[in-house]
Amino acid sequence: MRITATKRLVRCAVAAGVGIALAAGVAVGKAEAKTEDGKFLVYYSMSYVGNAWQTEAKNTVIAMAKAPQYRDRVELRVQASGPDAQKQIQQMNAMIAAGADAIVAFPISPTALNKVIRNACNKGVVVAVINGVTEPCAYVVKIDGVALGDYRTQYVIDQMGGKGNIVAITGVPGVSYGEDHHKGFKQAVARHPEVNVLAELVGMWSHPEARLKMRELLATHSWADIDGIVAQTGCYTVSQMQVEDGWWPDNPIIPCAGESANGNRLQMLPVDSGIEGALGKTGQSIGSGLWAVSYTFKTAMEVLDGNEDVPHLRWYTGVEVTQDNVKLCETGSAEEFAAGCNTIKPGIVPPDYAIDFWSPQVPELGFRAATEGMLDDES
Amino acid sequence: MSEVPLRSLPRLSWQQALARNRRLLVAVTAFIGIFVCLDVISPGPISYFEINFLSSNTGPLAFAAMGQTVVFLIGGFDLSCGAVLSLVNVIMALHTTDSLWSQVLMCFAGLGIGAAVGAINGFFIAYGRLQPVVVTLAVMFIILGLNLLLMPDPGGYIPYGLSMVFTGDLIPDGFPAALLVILLALGFWALLKRSRFGTALYAVGSNEDAAFANGINVARTKFLGYTLAGTFYGAGGVFLSAQTSSGDPLVGSGMLLLIFAATILGGTRIGGGEGGCLGTVFAAFTLMLISNVLIVLNWSPHVMPITEAVILLLAVIGASIGRDTSLAEYWRVTGLKISGLRHRSLPSFHTSARSNAGKLATSWTPRASDELSGPALWQWTTKNWDVLRLMVPAWTLLVVVYILVVVVIGGESVSVHYLNSLLTLALFLAVLGLGQGAVVLTGGLDLSVPHTLAFTGVVLAALCNGMDGPAYWAVPLVLAIGVGVGLFNGIGVVLFGMPAIVVTLATNGIMQGAGLLFTGGIPTGRSPPALVWFFTERLAGLAPAAWFLIGFAGLAYVVLHRTTFGRRVFAVGNSARVARLSGVRVDWTTLGVYVLSGFCSALAGVLMTGFSSVSFLNMGQRFLLPAIAVVLVGGTLAIGGRGHYLGIFGGAVLLTAVGTLVSGSELHFAWRDIIFGIVVLGAVLTLRERAS
């Protein structure tokens, strides 16, 4: 028994040794990276696959890489790592090994990726990150979560007339942007002693979750108890619930400030517009920046093109849409968005579809970019 | 070596040695295969730097999976490992300072925290005689909540020196420090395995009774096993902290499935007694390298979940190829049946036994007891106490929570409205509880629920697109899809003899991929209005969904407790062998529970689509662990054979009531997880079988 056990150990050590030797044997420097046809090789490392937002983000990056100024110079490859930080680290490292010139990443964790990013920087790979990592060599495109939370909350409190019960629907607990947003919420509420926080619901940035949590709250409260809602995601859903429960049209929809879901904006259209889902509600819709994903790609390209003045941290703010400036698009082309439309007709996209893929910083992208990953003029 | 061994064991021939180490061999072959494959397909050679990086990146997974391996070896199952990893990470990131002493101290503190959590698990499992799934699920919930209380969002700091110890170079451009740390751990394991304690671990995992009969202290071995596993998680947490040089309260949760995959791929048998840490470490490396292969292949991200699932399935099938597999056995039996056809006498067709007609009538009037006295209710309770005691904790706690809701929140809590909300929200858990409950009753577990639910939901919404017309065929169609998924799971478990956890985990990945491919990542369409009506209309104060729940509970009760199928489920759960010898078709029954679970997942998907009025690809995720919790709180024994649907039903309503309590009051959300954990643990503690 003992003999075989020892032998087994030895045998396995040999197997491990073979692996290491294999590795060491081939450890020669890698050739200068670029794809065979001389294009820049850019990777997009997404984390989750599985919600509409992430798919839209992926599509906009794909579309952006087809823009005339990049079309002939860039090869874009997209990879997903799943919800595990270790895997994203491994994936990004594999991208470096595969000869990436730039990596655009949507990080699972703002801190866990620091090392692999530093490593990429050391190897001359440009890393551009959406919504922030703490590694200073990365190019970070980031929204100010605290400011956004404060701004949204202030809007709702103004609509409430400065007093009453407010409900917050937060994001995924433990994620920086969500926590920052909630800090902003608290900070705004603290300025108004007559505003009472009725509940803080964990919405997980998901409409079904927002609905479940809201139903839990409504088990013990009624709509009449709520005067305003600040939702990181869920304004569309909570407004829809008020219709289902018959609270509307006898009462106005409770003011809600939140996400850029198409349904949320459609609800702001006047009822007499005849558009399905229009409620004429008072509300505010500011995206957390779908467009910033393709903007991050642009940032990476700027750096690759040799622009040394690109700042390592770019703050951005979302486009604000309220009942006063909500406007329906006809075709959803980039030009139309540039002319001021900001909502897609119902039925074409699901109501939770984030609609802030266009912004003055990424004027190339229309509706097709987010749905199909194509530019307007593409056939 | 002058000593003469008392008895020398015969040397194994190389075939025997090969057969013994087949599982390990598969893990090693998989690693070498993927390594060579990567070297061939990647444009450049693999550099030292990549080896270093791979080692330091695999470290946390390898350590965590080693802990899980120890738990598997003693026949356990540990859901808390990911949470422990985060806990150690969070505490280290918050409290480590630059001084050398602090760094050394915090490393040991990390191990200590892991060991402490492991000891808590071990205490309840070994001495409290509770089931591992329940205890570790509860501990997981509590730690997840604790992590968020300690560190609300990512941050903190780990000194550079500490990072370098784990992830730097031992010999610059020669040997990575991370690999040394992993090798040291493996050396430790090799020594441990050959110690008395190591033998005891394997003995307890192989056969508890035999181990006990041979003088092994089973409880102590289990307790120490869990503590050891916890220490490994602690080491994983320390490694993780060093590798990420910061803290993140969520970082470990995402690793849970990967940890299971590494342990199973490494050749450790679920149920105990076979396997070891060496295979696990190789498997951890393999799993990490898959990312590299996928990068080079440049496949669509939507295919990723399917690819991983297929690799997991192939590995497990590969580890169990041989003549003694279930599949081979089925072939043999089928062959015998076919060859036996020729010699078979013609079946005789029985006519109904007319002679008995009218003689065997059920008497519905209660039989007067000759032993019990007192009021009829008391007699009834005494007679049915064995069943009732399963339901008591859930329903008692429900009353307690309800009183808390009324006292703390007040509001509309004393009304039909509250009852309606409670029932409609509990509907999903009650439906999933039936499927999961049936599977657990046979000793299995169905992890394919989340994406089966989501897939049926998105398909239904896309087919109906807001109209009632298509619903007449679309609803049956998606329910049939659920049945199909259940069939797939059941065949994997019954025919291929694979562990339920592996098959259903893989199915979940496949369904996730299927959902992504079907929708292109963006689900479209809306629920048929009839389904929305189901939740918004009021019939005599309650929504149709609430009435449906009441009817469903009755039906589920009949299925589990008043049909032959139900009785067979319990029989299989109590002992598959005894059931088989008693003439129960164990394979068909097992297949049946997975089909039932698939059907329930699909039904929950249909209901969830109606509830949300649209469908989402991620809408099933949040139900998996609560559904398992509901089953366990409802008095179901995790190793099968004991349970009652009315207990599960009570559990579903209880957890929903806890939700209304947390959402309606000003409690910090982290407390929801903690309360969940305490409720699960508390309910099961009161259910504990008295030590005989």
Side-chain angles (χ1 to χ4, degrees):
Chain A
M1 186 76 176
R2 218 143 248 251
I3 299 165
T4 47
T6 323
K7 276 201 135 181
R8 194 186 315 157
L9 213 74
V10 169
R11 217 170 298 153
C12 295
V14 168
V18 167
I20 295 161
L22 247 168
V26 291
V28 209
K30 203 148 253 192
E32 270 292 291
K34 281 228 174 89
T35 43
E36 287 148 15
D37 45 4
K39 289 179 177 180
F40 285 123
L41 178 56
V42 178
Y43 276 101
Y44 175 50
S45 164
M46 54 197 287
S47 45
Y48 297 101
V49 282
N51 64 32
W53 199 95
Q54 288 289 358
T55 307
E56 284 184 70
K58 180 195 81 178
N59 289 345
T60 55
V61 173
I62 290 174
M64 185 52 92
K66 293 179 187 166
Q69 67 267 41
Y70 305 128
R71 195 175 294 163
D72 304 321
R73 302 192 293 123
V74 172
E75 182 180 336
L76 178 78
R77 293 183 188 164
V78 181
Q79 287 285 316
S81 63
D84 172 32
Q86 241 62 32
K87 278 219 142 168
Q88 194 173 27
I89 295 171
Q90 185 63 25
Q91 184 189 59
M92 287 177 67
N93 192 53
M95 289 171 177
I96 302 169
D101 294 293
I103 298 173
V104 178
F106 197 100
I108 292 170
S109 158
T111 51
L113 301 180
N114 283 353
K115 227 164 211 178
V116 68
I117 292 174
R118 208 173 309 139
N119 166 34
C121 294
N122 291 341
K123 302 213 157 170
V125 179
V126 176
V127 181
V129 178
I130 306 112
N131 268 342
V133 289
T134 48
E135 171 56 45
C137 84
Y139 293 87
V140 171
V141 176
K142 195 176 182 182
I143 196 163
D144 186 344
V146 180
L148 180 63
D150 189 312
Y151 189 75
R152 280 177 173 167
T153 313
Q154 187 57 49
Y155 173 87
V156 171
I157 292 175
D158 288 345
Q159 299 299 322
M160 289 159 58
K163 60 175 194 289
N165 288 331
I166 196 165
V167 171
I169 299 177
T170 64
V172 177
V175 177
S176 301
Y177 163 68
E179 299 298 330
D180 283 350
H181 189 283
H182 199 55
K183 273 177 211 152
F185 167 81
K186 283 183 179 157
Q187 163 183 321
V189 168
R191 288 196 299 268
H192 300 85
E194 285 184 82
V195 171
N196 167 44
V197 179
L198 186 69
E200 294 166 324
L201 309 174
V202 180
M204 308 297 283
W205 294 324
S206 137
H207 286 273
E209 190 64 30
R211 179 181 283 263
L212 282 163
K213 293 286 162 61
M214 201 66 201
R215 280 273 169 248
E216 284 180 0
L217 175 68
L218 288 169
T220 52
H221 294 83
S222 75
W223 290 110
D225 299 334
I226 305 169
D227 300 303
I229 301 162
V230 178
Q232 292 186 23
T233 293
C235 274
Y236 159 73
T237 295
V238 293
S239 304
Q240 189 62 32
M241 287 166 73
Q242 292 164 48
V243 178
E244 288 165 13
D245 292 356
W247 168 259
W248 182 88
D250 303 335
N251 306 283
I253 297 279
I254 297 162
C256 183
E259 81 284 357
S260 66
N262 197 46
N264 187 21
R265 293 187 177 174
L266 286 173
Q267 288 167 339
M268 293 174 191
L269 292 166
V271 184
D272 56 22
S273 65
I275 299 293
E276 188 192 338
L279 306 175
K281 74 169 181 178
T282 306
Q284 182 200 49
S285 157
I286 305 175
S288 55
L290 179 58
W291 62 269
V293 182
S294 47
Y295 184 51
T296 312
F297 171 81
K298 273 191 147 180
T299 306
M301 288 308 298
E302 273 180 60
V303 181
L304 278 183
D305 286 341
N307 183 351
E308 288 175 7
D309 301 330
V310 180
H312 277 270
L313 177 60
R314 275 179 164 165
W315 292 102
Y316 70 87
T317 46
V319 183
E320 179 177 358
V321 176
T322 65
Q323 67 281 3
D324 298 326
N325 67 347
V326 62
K327 192 179 165 204
L328 207 60
C329 301
E330 286 301 317
T331 60
S333 68
E335 284 150 24
E336 235 192 315
F337 275 95
C341 86
N342 44 37
T343 313
I344 299 288
K345 283 180 184 166
I348 303 174
V349 291
D352 65 316
Y353 201 83
I355 220 75
D356 56 337
F357 41 78
W358 182 90
S359 120
Q361 286 87 340
V362 286
E364 296 90 344
L365 302 182
F367 171 62
R368 286 184 70 195
T371 44
E372 301 167 70
M374 288 185 185
L375 296 171
D376 287 339
D377 54 3
E378 224 178 314
S379 51
Chain B
M1 294 291 271
S2 57
E3 274 177 53
V4 180
L6 284 175
R7 180 164 55 115
S8 72
L9 288 160
R11 284 194 66 165
L12 297 174
S13 72
W14 68 270
Q15 286 106 328
Q16 284 168 315
L18 195 73
R20 258 181 170 223
N21 293 316
R22 194 179 59 214
R23 283 159 174 275
L24 176 63
L25 219 63
V26 168
V28 177
T29 315
F31 169 72
I32 295 177
I34 203 161
F35 198 94
V36 171
C37 156
L38 185 66
D39 201 42
V40 170
I41 60 173
S42 50
I46 294 169
S47 67
Y48 163 75
F49 177 80
E50 279 167 59
I51 300 291
N52 182 7
F53 202 93
L54 175 69
S55 315
S56 60
N57 199 27
T58 312
L61 174 65
F63 273 96
M66 281 161 100
Q68 191 69 249
T69 304
V70 175
V71 172
F72 273 28
L73 281 180
I74 48 175
F77 191 71
D78 194 345
L79 288 164
S80 69
C81 53
V84 178
L85 238 56
S86 299
L87 178 68
V88 172
N89 177 229
V90 163
I91 292 178
M92 284 193 69
L94 285 175
H95 298 295
T96 315
T97 59
D98 277 322
S99 79
L100 181 65
W101 276 117
S102 157
Q103 296 185 29
V104 174
L105 194 72
M106 284 312 291
C107 282
F108 283 103
L111 295 181
I113 294 163
V117 177
I120 293 171
N121 282 333
F123 173 77
F124 281 115
I125 292 164
Y127 297 111
R129 304 181 7 124
L130 296 181
Q131 308 129 55
V133 177
V134 192
V135 173
T136 56
L137 182 75
V139 168
M140 181 200 78
F141 273 125
I142 295 170
I143 295 178
L144 284 180
L146 202 62
N147 287 345
L148 287 172
L149 286 181
L150 285 171
M151 186 186 263
D153 58 339
Y157 157 79
I158 301 287
Y160 182 73
L162 179 59
S163 279
M164 276 301 129
V165 169
F166 285 90
T167 62
D169 301 304
L170 184 68
I171 308 165
D173 277 330
F175 200 85
L179 204 54
L180 177 76
V181 177
I182 296 173
L183 287 178
L184 282 177
L186 278 178
F188 169 70
W189 168 250
L191 291 177
L192 192 88
K193 195 178 162 185
R194 296 153 126 256
S195 71
R196 247 166 206 288
F197 173 60
T199 314
L201 279 180
Y202 279 86
V204 167
S206 300
N207 188 332
E208 242 174 74
D209 298 331
F212 180 75
N214 278 294
I216 291 171
N217 187 336
V218 174
R220 198 182 62 194
T221 308
K222 279 191 171 180
F223 173 75
L224 289 177
Y226 276 94
T227 313
L228 175 67
T231 317
F232 271 121
Y233 305 151
V238 173
F239 208 131
L240 184 73
S241 311
Q243 187 227 350
T244 60
S245 43
S246 59
D248 186 336
L250 302 178
V251 72
S253 309
M255 284 178 72
L256 186 61
L257 294 185
L258 211 55
I259 293 169
F260 286 138
T263 312
I264 294 162
L265 194 62
T268 303
R269 205 168 66 91
I270 295 179
E274 216 178 307
C277 288
L278 187 63
T280 308
V281 171
F282 273 105
F285 275 97
T286 309
L287 285 175
M288 278 296 164
L289 279 175
I290 289 174
S291 304
N292 295 50
V293 174
L294 289 182
I295 294 268
V296 180
L297 292 178
N298 196 24
W299 281 350
S300 156
H302 289 174
V303 189
M304 187 199 67
I306 298 185
T307 321
E308 292 188 339
V310 169
I311 289 171
L312 185 63
L313 280 183
L314 286 181
V316 174
I317 293 176
S320 58
I321 278 177
R323 267 184 305 174
D324 54 343
T325 58
S326 316
L327 191 60
E329 179 68 11
Y330 269 91
W331 274 119
R332 201 178 62 81
V333 172
T334 314
L336 284 178
K337 276 184 184 163
I338 291 171
S339 64
L341 276 180
R342 284 186 292 135
H343 311 293
R344 195 166 165 182
S345 57
L346 281 170
S348 56
F349 293 97
H350 292 284
T351 47
S352 61
R354 203 169 289 151
S355 55
N356 282 338
K359 288 187 185 167
L360 284 173
T362 310
S363 163
W364 292 101
T365 46
R367 195 162 50 90
S369 170
D370 40 13
E371 287 177 24
L372 296 167
S373 57
L377 182 67
W378 168 247
Q379 289 196 18
W380 182 82
T381 341
T382 316
K383 269 193 277 186
N384 294 291
W385 180 241
D386 270 352
V387 176
L388 282 176
R389 64 184 284 269
L390 301 181
M391 298 174 230
V392 167
W395 290 99
T396 318
L397 277 171
L398 176 61
V399 172
V400 172
V401 171
Y402 181 63
I403 292 171
L404 277 176
V405 169
V406 173
V407 172
V408 176
I409 308 171
E412 311 214 352
S413 51
V414 193
S415 63
V416 180
H417 169 74
Y418 181 78
L419 179 69
N420 183 51
S421 304
L422 202 59
L423 289 180
T424 42
L425 286 170
L427 175 57
F428 311 106
L429 286 179
V431 169
L432 293 174
L434 172 65
Q436 192 69 262
V439 173
V440 172
L441 278 173
T442 60
L445 201 62
D446 187 354
L447 300 178
S448 69
V449 168
H451 286 293
T452 309
L453 190 161
F455 181 76
T456 49
V458 295
V459 170
L460 179 68
L463 292 178
C464 293
N465 202 8
M467 287 174 292
D468 275 336
Y472 291 104
W473 54 270
V475 171
L477 176 74
V478 297
L479 292 179
I481 292 176
V483 168
V485 172
L487 215 53
F488 182 84
N489 285 333
I491 287 173
V493 172
V494 173
L495 208 56
F496 288 86
M498 289 191 274
I501 295 168
V502 184
V503 183
T504 55
L505 193 62
T507 309
N508 193 42
I510 293 171
M511 293 315 289
Q512 184 184 11
L516 284 166
L517 293 175
F518 179 80
T519 58
I522 303 171
T524 51
R526 269 175 306 137
S527 141
L531 278 175
V532 179
W533 169 88
F534 206 60
F535 287 90
T536 50
E537 187 58 41
R538 292 286 179 276
L539 304 174
L542 296 180
W547 293 113
F548 176 79
L549 174 63
I550 295 169
F552 180 87
L555 201 66
Y557 167 76
V558 171
V559 168
L560 273 191
H561 304 286
R562 287 285 176 270
T563 60
T564 349
F565 170 71
R567 282 172 199 280
R568 286 181 183 150
V569 168
F570 280 90
V572 171
N574 272 317
S575 165
R577 184 179 293 258
V578 172
R580 186 173 289 122
L581 294 175
S582 316
V584 172
R585 288 298 301 264
V586 173
D587 40 5
W588 287 108
T589 310
T590 311
L591 201 63
V593 295
Y594 285 96
V595 167
L596 180 63
S597 182
F599 177 82
C600 287
S601 301
L603 182 60
V606 170
L607 293 170
M608 193 62 199
T609 307
F611 177 76
S612 317
S613 78
V614 275
S615 285
F616 304 88
L617 284 168
N618 52 0
M619 67 184 183
Q621 210 64 52
R622 57 120 42 215
F623 289 113
L624 177 64
L625 291 177
I628 297 175
V630 157
V631 169
L632 301 172
V633 168
T636 315
L637 200 63
I639 48 169
R642 190 197 76 186
H644 200 278
Y645 184 74
L646 294 183
I648 296 175
F649 179 68
V653 182
L654 166 66
L655 288 203
T656 311
V658 172
T660 64
L661 176 65
V662 178
S663 287
S665 63
E666 283 161 29
L667 222 51
H668 191 275
F669 55 78
W671 284 101
R672 175 192 288 257
D673 287 339
I674 296 178
I675 294 176
F676 249 54
I678 292 172
V679 163
V680 172
L681 204 57
V684 179
L685 266 177
T686 53
L687 278 169
R688 197 160 59 100
E689 303 274 358
R690 240 169 257 115
S692 47

